[in-house]
Amino acid sequence: MSIKNYLSIFTLVLFLASCKEKKTEEFNKNISSDLEVDHFNIWVKNPQKAKQKLIDIGFTAIPDSLSAVHHGQGTSGRYFYFLNTYLEFIFVYNQKEFEVNNSKNKDLDFSERANFNKNGASPFSIALKVKEYKVDKIPFRKIQYHQSWMENDRSIYAAKNSKTHLKEPSIFVVYPKMQYDVFETLRDLKKIPEEYALWREFYKHKNGAKKVTRIVITSKDVDLSTETMKTVHGIENIIIKNGSSYVMELFFDNATQQKTFDLRPELPLLIHL
């Protein structure tokens, strides 16, 4: 084969590789332009113990008396608010109600996730929001889910994959009025109406944490090529990867304090301040 032919083939290979890379970049760009993290959950068996672990390292918790009960779903949460997102420790609050809801919504993964300690499922959930919200902009197969505490004509959309791929984090999309209010700085908390002024204090943490700037979730033997995982990989500041055990790493304010708290084994959580 002549040198000219070798050069032609080499040029063609480089061109095809460049096209493939460009397509991947465009795919990720398209996803990240429409989707963002709204909040994230960790399923727990002992919510009080989980909550105390964070309080002990300087976080402020939402009081139990103000924490949401998901009526009709049989679950409740313990919450930590930050300027740009929140963490929920979700748990079964009413076993009977929980079982009734699962029998009505058999395509959802509540039961499997709640029993993560028995079946090896990931205990993590990621709630996404869509810019300029439209249901048809959700880029994966989905299941509509509605409860009485939602608006009459609105629903959450859960990834169908989350029921069958339990080593993935559970993925769902919230509608606009359910989305978390984001604040740029602590000074912006004054935008919270005076009648709810008490809530301003829950964003202020003794350890100085303000914003979650990166989330890294490690799963065991997770298939990173599924449509939901590809979707998540296209979202800014969140990474899913394989490892030997389930763990969520939360980076606050780009970890400028250079402090790390490992809350295992009680919680599969690493905090970077």
Side-chain angles (χ1 to χ4, degrees):
M1 186 180 290
S2 67
I3 293 177
K4 183 177 180 181
N5 286 339
Y6 275 122
L7 289 173
S8 297
I9 292 172
F10 182 67
T11 302
L12 178 61
V13 169
L14 287 178
F15 173 76
L16 291 173
S18 173
C19 288
K20 184 176 181 181
E21 183 178 350
K22 186 176 180 182
K23 280 185 178 180
T24 302
E25 289 175 354
E26 288 176 351
F27 176 70
N28 287 340
K29 185 178 179 182
N30 288 338
I31 290 174
S32 30
S33 66
D34 286 337
L35 293 173
E36 295 177 336
V37 173
D38 184 79
H39 66 274
F40 44 96
N41 305 338
I42 302 178
W43 282 90
V44 297
K45 294 296 182 182
N46 190 329
Q48 293 306 114
K49 189 174 183 179
K51 185 180 78 168
Q52 192 60 47
K53 292 288 288 185
L54 288 190
I55 292 174
D56 288 345
I57 58 172
F59 287 101
T60 302
I62 304 297
D64 292 359
S65 60
L66 297 176
S67 295
V69 174
H70 311 125
H71 294 290
Q73 186 171 292
T75 62
S76 185
R78 296 293 177 261
Y79 299 88
F80 291 85
Y81 280 12
F82 312 109
L83 292 180
N84 62 337
T85 186
Y86 70 89
L87 165 62
E88 176 183 3
F89 291 129
I90 187 171
F91 61 98
V92 177
Y93 176 79
N94 183 316
Q95 185 65 38
K96 183 176 181 180
E97 190 173 69
F98 183 72
E99 291 172 0
V100 169
N101 185 59
N102 288 333
S103 67
K104 293 178 180 177
N105 298 279
K106 294 180 179 180
D107 291 330
L108 296 178
D109 64 346
F110 290 123
S111 179
E112 288 80 7
R113 302 295 174 168
N115 288 292
F116 64 90
N117 59 322
K118 297 179 181 178
N119 58 22
S122 169
F124 308 127
S125 302
I126 305 170
L128 303 176
K129 55 187 175 184
V130 181
K131 296 178 183 177
E132 299 178 4
Y133 180 84
K134 289 182 180 178
V135 174
D136 58 11
K137 291 176 73 175
I138 300 172
F140 45 76
R141 291 174 297 165
K142 51 195 173 290
I143 300 165
Q144 186 175 4
Y145 176 61
H146 180 80
Q147 278 291 350
S148 59
W149 38 271
M150 302 177 194
E151 292 180 81
N152 289 336
D153 60 342
R154 292 294 187 180
S155 299
I156 287 172
Y157 287 88
K160 192 172 184 179
N161 226 36
S162 295
K163 175 77 171 183
T164 55
H165 291 66
L166 296 177
K167 294 184 178 182
E168 295 182 5
S170 183
I171 307 294
F172 61 98
V173 176
V174 297
Y175 56 86
K177 286 193 177 180
M178 225 179 153
Q179 291 174 10
Y180 186 67
D181 290 327
V182 173
F183 301 94
E184 188 59 34
T185 68
L186 288 173
R187 291 188 301 273
D188 292 326
L189 295 174
K190 63 185 179 182
K191 296 177 183 178
I192 297 175
E194 282 301 318
E195 60 185 307
Y196 302 111
L198 171 67
W199 287 82
R200 297 171 188 164
E201 300 306 309
F202 304 142
Y203 296 82
K204 301 171 184 177
H205 304 284
K206 292 178 182 178
N207 58 24
K210 296 179 180 68
K211 292 182 178 180
V212 176
T213 50
R214 192 181 186 203
I215 303 171
V216 178
I217 294 177
T218 302
S219 290
K220 297 188 293 186
D221 301 318
V222 65
D223 182 357
L224 298 175
S225 67
T226 67
E227 60 182 358
T228 46
M229 291 301 92
K230 286 180 179 178
T231 295
V232 173
H233 280 160
I235 300 173
E236 188 177 9
N237 297 330
I238 184 165
I239 295 172
I240 311 292
K241 64 179 184 177
N242 266 305
S244 59
S245 60
Y246 292 116
V247 63
M248 177 182 285
E249 296 181 67
L250 299 180
F251 293 77
F252 289 88
D253 311 305
N254 297 311
T256 53
Q257 297 185 46
Q258 299 184 352
K259 296 178 182 178
T260 295
F261 298 91
D262 189 342
L263 305 184
R264 297 173 293 182
E266 290 85 358
L267 272 177
L269 188 60
L270 283 171
I271 301 292
H272 303 282
L273 296 176

